[in-house]
Amino acid sequence: MPGLVPDPIRVGIVGANPAGSWAAATHLPALAQLREFVITAVATTRAESAAAAAAATGARLAFTNSDELVAHTEVDLVVAAVKSSGQADIVRAALAAGKHVVCEWPLGAGTAEATELTAAAQTAGVVNTVVLQGYYSPSVNYVKDLLAAGRIGGIASVTIIAAGDPFGGSSIPQNLAWTIDPTKGSGLLTIMAGHVLATVEHLAGGLVEVSAELTNLHETITVLETGQRIANSQAGQLALAGRLADGGLVALTLHGGHDDQPDGFYLHIRGSEGTITVTPVQTGMYLHWADWNIRLRTVDGHISRLTVPDVYRTAPATLPSGPTAHVAGIYRETASAITEGRAAQPDFAIGLRQHHLLDAIEYASATGSRRAITLE
């Protein structure tokens, strides 16, 4: 009947430890402010943290086994907010049970898992969403619309300088030491470059080919809390040159380091009729997290400072700007997709596309050649 409010979508979160987890920092506060959802179940690896997560969220159900959460009849949507190396088992089980899925980025521990999970999601016919936060940044979407409207004409070049900290430096926090193993699926390339490039492609369209240089300057690194020296197999610096479908060029320098916060970023978009230059409003935030200072310069030299209209904010006003608000935007998109029976954006197919792009970067760096972006 008209005016009826739909029942909230019942959410089960795997990786909901309230003590320092990414889910606790972003997913839990985002969901707490969204009336479209109710958290009914949580799972962590220990009974104590599972109970604490349930108490913090008001969830009735607490598990130490993710399969039990996935199978429960009071869960409609499963959230895989765990390390990339542990995502695939959770997502497989959820899809097999016919549950909608939100999966943190990256989508599994590599392209093989991402391919499998994307195919399984298509077969299951459920809504599947990958957490690429830049898609729901108000600043990103405002600039995207400016570009689409031809405000600076056709795109000639996109230049980005961004920080990859805390990946790529000579030391690393103990809780991230597992990322030095590339087979685990997380590092400067997958996490930092993955988010930056997903944001750039959302803004300006897809890359069709890349040349790149990845390098590892620290074959051993120090674990900050213990002083232990450990072998490191991950690249920590990236220089990329790419081409967009319309011919525009992309140049990205992603500099790794061991600061606990990134040291800003710079984005410059040159068009045939002007330029857009972006720097962060807040300190210590990544390109896909921060609000943007946006400067528009037309070919006649006129400079405008642009303010993002309020209509671009999709998260509740009670949430602070930044990653939590962007995660809330992803959840609202997921709820709309479930209600409307359509695919969410960004879905697993978009996540898989990003994995193929990262593979092309690795191939181009290893071979010294230009590499086309394909889905094979």
mmCIF file of all heavy atoms in Angstrom, residues 202-242:
data_model
loop_
_atom_site.group_PDB
_atom_site.id
_atom_site.type_symbol
_atom_site.label_atom_id
_atom_site.label_comp_id
_atom_site.label_asym_id
_atom_site.label_seq_id
_atom_site.Cartn_x
_atom_site.Cartn_y
_atom_site.Cartn_z
ATOM 1 N N HIS A 202 35.969 6.263 -12.567
ATOM 2 C CA HIS A 202 34.605 6.735 -12.309
ATOM 3 C C HIS A 202 34.445 8.175 -12.783
ATOM 4 O O HIS A 202 33.397 8.546 -13.334
ATOM 5 C CB HIS A 202 34.318 6.622 -10.816
ATOM 6 C CG HIS A 202 32.939 7.034 -10.414
ATOM 7 N ND1 HIS A 202 31.801 6.474 -10.946
ATOM 8 C CD2 HIS A 202 32.502 7.972 -9.515
ATOM 9 C CE1 HIS A 202 30.729 7.027 -10.404
ATOM 10 N NE2 HIS A 202 31.136 7.944 -9.536
ATOM 11 N N LEU A 203 35.474 8.981 -12.606
ATOM 12 C CA LEU A 203 35.437 10.376 -13.026
ATOM 13 C C LEU A 203 35.508 10.550 -14.536
ATOM 14 O O LEU A 203 34.709 11.282 -15.131
ATOM 15 C CB LEU A 203 36.648 11.114 -12.441
ATOM 16 C CG LEU A 203 36.625 11.684 -11.044
ATOM 17 C CD1 LEU A 203 37.997 12.231 -10.717
ATOM 18 C CD2 LEU A 203 35.580 12.778 -10.930
ATOM 19 N N ALA A 204 36.497 9.910 -15.119
ATOM 20 C CA ALA A 204 36.922 10.278 -16.467
ATOM 21 C C ALA A 204 36.747 9.182 -17.504
ATOM 22 O O ALA A 204 37.041 9.410 -18.684
ATOM 23 C CB ALA A 204 38.398 10.704 -16.427
ATOM 24 N N GLY A 205 36.270 7.998 -17.108
ATOM 25 C CA GLY A 205 36.131 6.900 -18.050
ATOM 26 C C GLY A 205 37.283 5.917 -17.919
ATOM 27 O O GLY A 205 38.306 6.194 -17.276
ATOM 28 N N GLY A 206 37.116 4.764 -18.564
ATOM 29 C CA GLY A 206 38.056 3.678 -18.381
ATOM 30 C C GLY A 206 39.369 3.850 -19.113
ATOM 31 O O GLY A 206 39.426 4.419 -20.209
ATOM 32 N N LEU A 207 40.439 3.359 -18.493
ATOM 33 C CA LEU A 207 41.727 3.258 -19.175
ATOM 34 C C LEU A 207 41.676 2.104 -20.170
ATOM 35 O O LEU A 207 41.069 1.069 -19.902
ATOM 36 C CB LEU A 207 42.838 3.004 -18.159
ATOM 37 C CG LEU A 207 43.236 4.204 -17.291
ATOM 38 C CD1 LEU A 207 43.822 3.739 -15.970
ATOM 39 C CD2 LEU A 207 44.238 5.074 -18.046
ATOM 40 N N VAL A 208 42.320 2.289 -21.310
ATOM 41 C CA VAL A 208 42.353 1.219 -22.308
ATOM 42 C C VAL A 208 43.733 0.586 -22.426
ATOM 43 O O VAL A 208 43.854 -0.541 -22.923
ATOM 44 C CB VAL A 208 41.888 1.728 -23.688
ATOM 45 C CG1 VAL A 208 40.424 2.119 -23.640
ATOM 46 C CG2 VAL A 208 42.748 2.885 -24.189
ATOM 47 N N GLU A 209 44.776 1.286 -21.960
ATOM 48 C CA GLU A 209 46.107 0.696 -21.949
ATOM 49 C C GLU A 209 46.978 1.435 -20.942
ATOM 50 O O GLU A 209 46.712 2.592 -20.594
ATOM 51 C CB GLU A 209 46.757 0.723 -23.334
ATOM 52 C CG GLU A 209 46.993 2.097 -23.890
ATOM 53 C CD GLU A 209 47.624 2.057 -25.283
ATOM 54 O OE1 GLU A 209 47.513 1.013 -25.954
ATOM 55 O OE2 GLU A 209 48.230 3.055 -25.680
ATOM 56 N N VAL A 210 48.021 0.746 -20.465
ATOM 57 C CA VAL A 210 48.915 1.326 -19.464
ATOM 58 C C VAL A 210 50.353 0.933 -19.738
ATOM 59 O O VAL A 210 50.638 -0.120 -20.303
ATOM 60 C CB VAL A 210 48.551 0.874 -18.028
ATOM 61 C CG1 VAL A 210 47.202 1.438 -17.599
ATOM 62 C CG2 VAL A 210 48.582 -0.637 -17.896
ATOM 63 N N SER A 211 51.255 1.818 -19.343
ATOM 64 C CA SER A 211 52.663 1.505 -19.123
ATOM 65 C C SER A 211 52.928 1.813 -17.660
ATOM 66 O O SER A 211 52.286 2.696 -17.086
ATOM 67 C CB SER A 211 53.569 2.356 -20.004
ATOM 68 O OG SER A 211 53.268 2.173 -21.366
ATOM 69 N N ALA A 212 53.858 1.099 -17.050
ATOM 70 C CA ALA A 212 54.019 1.300 -15.612
ATOM 71 C C ALA A 212 55.385 0.851 -15.143
ATOM 72 O O ALA A 212 56.053 0.031 -15.780
ATOM 73 C CB ALA A 212 52.938 0.530 -14.847
ATOM 74 N N GLU A 213 55.772 1.392 -14.004
ATOM 75 C CA GLU A 213 56.975 0.958 -13.300
ATOM 76 C C GLU A 213 56.614 0.783 -11.831
ATOM 77 O O GLU A 213 56.193 1.732 -11.148
ATOM 78 C CB GLU A 213 58.088 1.991 -13.447
ATOM 79 C CG GLU A 213 59.422 1.543 -12.895
ATOM 80 C CD GLU A 213 60.080 0.458 -13.726
ATOM 81 O OE1 GLU A 213 59.957 0.492 -14.959
ATOM 82 O OE2 GLU A 213 60.721 -0.439 -13.127
ATOM 83 N N LEU A 214 56.730 -0.452 -11.350
ATOM 84 C CA LEU A 214 56.568 -0.779 -9.931
ATOM 85 C C LEU A 214 57.927 -1.133 -9.364
ATOM 86 O O LEU A 214 58.708 -1.829 -10.015
ATOM 87 C CB LEU A 214 55.642 -1.982 -9.759
ATOM 88 C CG LEU A 214 54.140 -1.779 -9.865
ATOM 89 C CD1 LEU A 214 53.456 -3.120 -10.108
ATOM 90 C CD2 LEU A 214 53.590 -1.122 -8.603
ATOM 91 N N THR A 215 58.217 -0.655 -8.161
ATOM 92 C CA THR A 215 59.510 -1.006 -7.584
ATOM 93 C C THR A 215 59.393 -1.234 -6.088
ATOM 94 O O THR A 215 58.561 -0.622 -5.405
ATOM 95 C CB THR A 215 60.562 0.094 -7.872
ATOM 96 O OG1 THR A 215 61.840 -0.360 -7.462
ATOM 97 C CG2 THR A 215 60.216 1.387 -7.145
ATOM 98 N N ASN A 216 60.236 -2.122 -5.596
ATOM 99 C CA ASN A 216 60.343 -2.415 -4.166
ATOM 100 C C ASN A 216 61.709 -1.919 -3.694
ATOM 101 O O ASN A 216 62.739 -2.497 -4.051
ATOM 102 C CB ASN A 216 60.194 -3.920 -3.926
ATOM 103 C CG ASN A 216 60.431 -4.313 -2.479
ATOM 104 O OD1 ASN A 216 60.543 -3.468 -1.603
ATOM 105 N ND2 ASN A 216 60.495 -5.616 -2.216
ATOM 106 N N LEU A 217 61.722 -0.849 -2.922
ATOM 107 C CA LEU A 217 62.966 -0.262 -2.439
ATOM 108 C C LEU A 217 63.401 -0.835 -1.095
ATOM 109 O O LEU A 217 64.481 -0.494 -0.606
ATOM 110 C CB LEU A 217 62.813 1.258 -2.318
ATOM 111 C CG LEU A 217 62.458 2.007 -3.600
ATOM 112 C CD1 LEU A 217 62.282 3.493 -3.303
ATOM 113 C CD2 LEU A 217 63.515 1.784 -4.676
ATOM 114 N N HIS A 218 62.565 -1.693 -0.499
ATOM 115 C CA HIS A 218 62.847 -2.196 0.848
ATOM 116 C C HIS A 218 62.598 -3.704 0.876
ATOM 117 O O HIS A 218 61.489 -4.158 1.138
ATOM 118 C CB HIS A 218 61.968 -1.490 1.879
ATOM 119 C CG HIS A 218 62.082 -0.002 1.849
ATOM 120 N ND1 HIS A 218 63.185 0.668 2.341
ATOM 121 C CD2 HIS A 218 61.236 0.941 1.369
ATOM 122 C CE1 HIS A 218 63.013 1.959 2.177
ATOM 123 N NE2 HIS A 218 61.836 2.158 1.591
ATOM 124 N N GLU A 219 63.652 -4.482 0.607
ATOM 125 C CA GLU A 219 63.500 -5.931 0.588
ATOM 126 C C GLU A 219 63.335 -6.510 1.981
ATOM 127 O O GLU A 219 62.847 -7.628 2.140
ATOM 128 C CB GLU A 219 64.681 -6.570 -0.136
ATOM 129 C CG GLU A 219 64.705 -6.215 -1.618
ATOM 130 C CD GLU A 219 65.801 -6.938 -2.377
ATOM 131 O OE1 GLU A 219 66.576 -7.679 -1.718
ATOM 132 O OE2 GLU A 219 65.881 -6.771 -3.599
ATOM 133 N N THR A 220 63.738 -5.772 2.996
ATOM 134 C CA THR A 220 63.394 -6.098 4.383
ATOM 135 C C THR A 220 62.854 -4.833 5.023
ATOM 136 O O THR A 220 63.306 -3.721 4.710
ATOM 137 C CB THR A 220 64.594 -6.616 5.197
ATOM 138 O OG1 THR A 220 65.595 -5.604 5.246
ATOM 139 C CG2 THR A 220 65.151 -7.890 4.601
ATOM 140 N N ILE A 221 61.873 -5.002 5.910
ATOM 141 C CA ILE A 221 61.280 -3.859 6.590
ATOM 142 C C ILE A 221 61.150 -4.167 8.078
ATOM 143 O O ILE A 221 61.222 -5.320 8.505
ATOM 144 C CB ILE A 221 59.902 -3.487 6.008
ATOM 145 C CG1 ILE A 221 58.924 -4.662 6.099
ATOM 146 C CG2 ILE A 221 60.044 -3.030 4.570
ATOM 147 C CD1 ILE A 221 57.522 -4.315 5.614
ATOM 148 N N THR A 222 60.939 -3.118 8.859
ATOM 149 C CA THR A 222 60.866 -3.240 10.310
ATOM 150 C C THR A 222 59.413 -3.218 10.759
ATOM 151 O O THR A 222 58.636 -2.354 10.347
ATOM 152 C CB THR A 222 61.619 -2.077 10.982
ATOM 153 O OG1 THR A 222 62.969 -2.078 10.552
ATOM 154 C CG2 THR A 222 61.545 -2.196 12.495
ATOM 155 N N VAL A 223 59.057 -4.165 11.613
ATOM 156 C CA VAL A 223 57.745 -4.131 12.263
ATOM 157 C C VAL A 223 57.830 -3.114 13.400
ATOM 158 O O VAL A 223 58.655 -3.247 14.304
ATOM 159 C CB VAL A 223 57.355 -5.520 12.799
ATOM 160 C CG1 VAL A 223 56.001 -5.437 13.512
ATOM 161 C CG2 VAL A 223 57.315 -6.537 11.667
ATOM 162 N N LEU A 224 57.010 -2.085 13.329
ATOM 163 C CA LEU A 224 57.166 -0.930 14.207
ATOM 164 C C LEU A 224 57.119 -1.294 15.687
ATOM 165 O O LEU A 224 57.944 -0.827 16.477
ATOM 166 C CB LEU A 224 56.079 0.105 13.902
ATOM 167 C CG LEU A 224 56.286 0.920 12.623
ATOM 168 C CD1 LEU A 224 55.044 1.742 12.309
ATOM 169 C CD2 LEU A 224 57.500 1.829 12.770
ATOM 170 N N GLU A 225 56.163 -2.104 16.089
ATOM 171 C CA GLU A 225 55.967 -2.363 17.506
ATOM 172 C C GLU A 225 57.031 -3.272 18.119
ATOM 173 O O GLU A 225 57.271 -3.231 19.332
ATOM 174 C CB GLU A 225 54.586 -2.987 17.746
ATOM 175 C CG GLU A 225 53.416 -2.051 17.476
ATOM 176 C CD GLU A 225 53.005 -2.019 16.013
ATOM 177 O OE1 GLU A 225 53.746 -2.547 15.151
ATOM 178 O OE2 GLU A 225 51.930 -1.469 15.730
ATOM 179 N N THR A 226 57.663 -4.107 17.282
ATOM 180 C CA THR A 226 58.597 -5.104 17.822
ATOM 181 C C THR A 226 60.041 -4.886 17.405
ATOM 182 O O THR A 226 60.962 -5.438 18.028
ATOM 183 C CB THR A 226 58.187 -6.511 17.359
ATOM 184 O OG1 THR A 226 58.354 -6.613 15.933
ATOM 185 C CG2 THR A 226 56.750 -6.812 17.741
ATOM 186 N N GLY A 227 60.258 -4.115 16.340
ATOM 187 C CA GLY A 227 61.605 -3.941 15.818
ATOM 188 C C GLY A 227 62.085 -5.100 14.968
ATOM 189 O O GLY A 227 63.220 -5.090 14.465
ATOM 190 N N GLN A 228 61.271 -6.119 14.792
ATOM 191 C CA GLN A 228 61.653 -7.290 13.999
ATOM 192 C C GLN A 228 61.849 -6.904 12.534
ATOM 193 O O GLN A 228 61.065 -6.132 11.967
ATOM 194 C CB GLN A 228 60.571 -8.364 14.108
ATOM 195 C CG GLN A 228 60.863 -9.630 13.308
ATOM 196 C CD GLN A 228 59.696 -10.608 13.324
ATOM 197 O OE1 GLN A 228 58.621 -10.297 13.830
ATOM 198 N NE2 GLN A 228 59.902 -11.791 12.770
ATOM 199 N N ARG A 229 62.889 -7.444 11.922
ATOM 200 C CA ARG A 229 63.122 -7.236 10.490
ATOM 201 C C ARG A 229 62.544 -8.420 9.735
ATOM 202 O O ARG A 229 62.827 -9.579 10.063
ATOM 203 C CB ARG A 229 64.622 -7.116 10.191
ATOM 204 C CG ARG A 229 65.291 -5.931 10.828
ATOM 205 C CD ARG A 229 64.894 -4.625 10.171
ATOM 206 N NE ARG A 229 65.436 -4.521 8.819
ATOM 207 C CZ ARG A 229 65.152 -3.509 7.986
ATOM 208 N NH1 ARG A 229 64.301 -2.558 8.361
ATOM 209 N NH2 ARG A 229 65.679 -3.478 6.781
ATOM 210 N N ILE A 230 61.725 -8.154 8.736
ATOM 211 C CA ILE A 230 61.082 -9.217 7.980
ATOM 212 C C ILE A 230 61.249 -8.975 6.485
ATOM 213 O O ILE A 230 61.354 -7.833 6.028
ATOM 214 C CB ILE A 230 59.579 -9.335 8.328
ATOM 215 C CG1 ILE A 230 58.874 -7.995 8.143
ATOM 216 C CG2 ILE A 230 59.395 -9.840 9.753
ATOM 217 C CD1 ILE A 230 57.366 -8.042 8.400
ATOM 218 N N ALA A 231 61.271 -10.080 5.730
ATOM 219 C CA ALA A 231 61.404 -9.983 4.280
ATOM 220 C C ALA A 231 60.132 -9.397 3.679
ATOM 221 O O ALA A 231 59.024 -9.696 4.112
ATOM 222 C CB ALA A 231 61.680 -11.360 3.690
ATOM 223 N N ASN A 232 60.328 -8.551 2.684
ATOM 224 C CA ASN A 232 59.206 -7.859 2.040
ATOM 225 C C ASN A 232 59.221 -8.123 0.545
ATOM 226 O O ASN A 232 60.224 -7.876 -0.125
ATOM 227 C CB ASN A 232 59.301 -6.355 2.301
ATOM 228 C CG ASN A 232 58.286 -5.572 1.492
ATOM 229 O OD1 ASN A 232 57.115 -5.930 1.442
ATOM 230 N ND2 ASN A 232 58.739 -4.506 0.843
ATOM 231 N N SER A 233 58.093 -8.616 0.016
ATOM 232 C CA SER A 233 58.005 -8.923 -1.417
ATOM 233 C C SER A 233 57.075 -7.979 -2.179
ATOM 234 O O SER A 233 56.788 -8.210 -3.350
ATOM 235 C CB SER A 233 57.509 -10.367 -1.612
ATOM 236 O OG SER A 233 58.374 -11.283 -0.991
ATOM 237 N N GLN A 234 56.608 -6.930 -1.512
ATOM 238 C CA GLN A 234 55.636 -6.039 -2.137
ATOM 239 C C GLN A 234 56.294 -4.800 -2.732
ATOM 240 O O GLN A 234 57.182 -4.187 -2.126
ATOM 241 C CB GLN A 234 54.598 -5.583 -1.109
ATOM 242 C CG GLN A 234 53.602 -6.650 -0.703
ATOM 243 C CD GLN A 234 52.458 -6.769 -1.704
ATOM 244 O OE1 GLN A 234 52.624 -6.595 -2.902
ATOM 245 N NE2 GLN A 234 51.280 -7.088 -1.190
ATOM 246 N N ALA A 235 55.807 -4.398 -3.907
ATOM 247 C CA ALA A 235 56.218 -3.123 -4.475
ATOM 248 C C ALA A 235 55.692 -1.986 -3.619
ATOM 249 O O ALA A 235 54.594 -2.064 -3.061
ATOM 250 C CB ALA A 235 55.697 -2.996 -5.902
ATOM 251 N N GLY A 236 56.487 -0.917 -3.519
ATOM 252 C CA GLY A 236 56.093 0.207 -2.679
ATOM 253 C C GLY A 236 56.018 1.534 -3.390
ATOM 254 O O GLY A 236 55.657 2.548 -2.788
ATOM 255 N N GLN A 237 56.345 1.557 -4.690
ATOM 256 C CA GLN A 237 56.268 2.796 -5.468
ATOM 257 C C GLN A 237 55.696 2.455 -6.846
ATOM 258 O O GLN A 237 56.009 1.404 -7.414
ATOM 259 C CB GLN A 237 57.652 3.430 -5.643
ATOM 260 C CG GLN A 237 58.468 3.592 -4.374
ATOM 261 C CD GLN A 237 57.881 4.600 -3.417
ATOM 262 O OE1 GLN A 237 57.297 5.605 -3.827
ATOM 263 N NE2 GLN A 237 58.027 4.337 -2.120
ATOM 264 N N LEU A 238 54.877 3.349 -7.376
ATOM 265 C CA LEU A 238 54.262 3.134 -8.691
ATOM 266 C C LEU A 238 54.298 4.413 -9.513
ATOM 267 O O LEU A 238 53.908 5.482 -9.033
ATOM 268 C CB LEU A 238 52.802 2.683 -8.531
ATOM 269 C CG LEU A 238 51.939 2.659 -9.802
ATOM 270 C CD1 LEU A 238 52.466 1.630 -10.805
ATOM 271 C CD2 LEU A 238 50.475 2.377 -9.457
ATOM 272 N N ALA A 239 54.784 4.288 -10.732
ATOM 273 C CA ALA A 239 54.660 5.351 -11.735
ATOM 274 C C ALA A 239 53.917 4.765 -12.921
ATOM 275 O O ALA A 239 54.310 3.723 -13.451
ATOM 276 C CB ALA A 239 56.030 5.861 -12.165
ATOM 277 N N LEU A 240 52.827 5.410 -13.327
ATOM 278 C CA LEU A 240 51.955 4.866 -14.373
ATOM 279 C C LEU A 240 51.669 5.914 -15.426
ATOM 280 O O LEU A 240 51.449 7.093 -15.107
ATOM 281 C CB LEU A 240 50.638 4.377 -13.743
ATOM 282 C CG LEU A 240 49.536 3.855 -14.676
ATOM 283 C CD1 LEU A 240 48.758 2.734 -14.010
ATOM 284 C CD2 LEU A 240 48.547 4.980 -15.064
ATOM 285 N N ALA A 241 51.660 5.480 -16.665
ATOM 286 C CA ALA A 241 51.164 6.294 -17.779
ATOM 287 C C ALA A 241 50.098 5.483 -18.491
ATOM 288 O O ALA A 241 50.309 4.298 -18.783
ATOM 289 C CB ALA A 241 52.296 6.661 -18.732
ATOM 290 N N GLY A 242 48.964 6.067 -18.753
ATOM 291 C CA GLY A 242 47.875 5.340 -19.389
ATOM 292 C C GLY A 242 47.122 6.207 -20.371
ATOM 293 O O GLY A 242 47.316 7.427 -20.453
#
